[in-house]
Every structure is written in C-alpha cells, then in structure tokens.
Amino acid sequence: MNEIILNVEGMMCSGCEKRIETALGNLKEVKKVKASHKDGSVKIVLKENIDVEALKNTIDEIGFKVL
C-alpha cells in the first residue's frame, strides 16, 4: 500500500479539506484521504498505483494548488 503526502496551497477551512477529500476519494485508486488546512497537506493512501500528476490535476481542478 502506497502513501503519498502532497503540500497544497489555498486550503482555509474544514470545508476546503472536505472538497479535496471528496474529489480524491472519488478516484478508484485511492483508499483513504486526509487533508489538513492547518498543515497545508493532504495524505493519500492508495489501493493501487496512480500517476502523481493525476492526483495533482484533480486537486487543481477544484481550485487548489499543489506545491
């Protein structure tokens, strides 16, 4: 099981965390997501391999920026 941590800019509240968790959680390769606006990070646990660019693009599409 792979784990990826991404630094994300633009999260301001728990609502932002939920948007990211929902968007990434909808990807079939993702098992679990935990976003933290306080840390500015997103921890992603994968069921199967996925291109990191696909994760970044998903986050970008909902208005946040991966650093």
Side-chain angles (χ1 to χ4, degrees):
M1 191 172 356
N2 291 343
E3 182 178 291
I4 297 172
I5 297 176
L6 298 174
N7 294 314
V8 178
E9 184 176 82
M11 286 190 288
M12 306 300 278
C13 63
S14 60
C16 296
E17 294 171 351
K18 184 69 176 163
R19 283 180 58 208
I20 290 175
E21 290 172 353
T22 299
L24 291 175
N26 285 334
L27 299 174
K28 68 178 179 68
E29 299 88 353
V30 174
K31 180 176 183 176
K32 184 177 173 184
V33 182
K34 181 62 182 157
S36 171
H37 73 278
K38 292 178 184 173
D39 296 338
S41 67
V42 178
K43 180 178 173 182
I44 305 154
V45 178
L46 300 174
K47 294 188 253 194
E48 53 189 85
N49 289 336
I50 187 173
D51 183 15
V52 174
E53 288 303 312
L55 298 172
K56 291 179 180 180
N57 290 340
T58 299
I59 292 170
D60 287 343
E61 287 171 4
I62 59 171
F64 300 96
K65 178 163 177 56
V66 177
L67 303 176

